[in-house]
Amino acid sequence: MTRKKALVVRGGWEGHEPIRATELFLPFLRGSGYTVRIEESTDVYADAAEMAGTDLVVQCVTMSEITAEQLSGLTTAVAAGTGFTGWHGGIADSFRASSDYLHLVGGQFATHPGKEPCERRGDAEDNYLPHVVDITELGRAHPITAGLQNFELHTEQYWVLHDDLCDVLATTTHPTRPWQPWHRPVSSPAVWTRRWGAGRIVVTTPGHSLDVLENPTVRTIIERGMLWATRTASAS
């Protein structure tokens, strides 16, 4: 039986611990029958032969920059059937200056609302808020999230700008608070899929820190997302 090929691309802002975060999922990938290649930069996206032979890209690159050649290689591969997935800023806050990348993934981190100003201490936890991730009706029937219940987290709650091509499997709602300027609760997608040509894309927004990635429900969503996004027989 031919083993699937997974490409793990990591780098960018060190605050999301791209090496330690991706290492959490390597045993799952290898145990699921993937041959895994790890790259520390997006240079590999410009290698057409390598990308054509890749069944799944797992990206963990927050912010950073991507060249036109690298992005073209990635988008061409996805359109031809290569799966593309990741979590948190490693996929939803990558390459802010590239509108074509934003078009590919369909959603972009805008902010993570913070605590009341008087409670802030100048560290990452200023942006940690208790919130619920709600599985949508679509999500309750989808292989990635079927059987999972709504769950609570205390971490960054992503506010995401997105479009209608996203199939939203889970949402999270930002309430109104006296110190914030919006006037009604706003829901953002927390997990979504996207079809791009013959390829499948999965974005999971929770995942700021290792403890969030180790949350059983978050981890299940990410791992199921890897399997679902992987190139299908019809895209071979």
Side-chain angles (χ1 to χ4, degrees), residues 105-106 136 138-139 142 144-145 162-171 189-196 201-203 228:
V105 297
T136 64
L138 175 63
H142 196 282
I144 294 175
T145 42
H162 64 288
D163 67 38
D164 288 342
L165 192 61
C166 297
D167 293 322
V168 179
L169 307 186
T171 63
V191 181
W192 72 86
T193 66
R194 191 169 177 87
R195 300 293 184 101
W196 199 257
I201 299 168
V202 184
V203 179
W228 184 86

Side-chain angles (χ1 to χ4, degrees), residues 88 108-113 127-137 150-162 168-177 182 184-192 203-207 218 221:
H88 202 62
Q108 168 63 34
F109 162 78
T111 191
H112 34 58
N127 298 314
Y128 289 7
L129 294 174
H131 60 278
V132 176
V133 177
D134 296 295
I135 308 299
T136 64
E137 183 176 351
N150 301 343
F151 60 101
E152 297 183 5
L153 294 172
H154 187 266
T155 184
E156 291 182 349
Q157 183 185 21
Y158 264 21
W159 182 311
V160 174
L161 308 179
H162 64 288
V168 179
L169 307 186
T171 63
T172 188
T173 299
H174 305 271
T176 56
R177 295 183 173 96
W182 51 94
R184 62 175 182 266
V186 176
S187 291
S188 285
V191 181
W192 72 86
V203 179
T204 305
T205 64
V218 173
I221 290 170

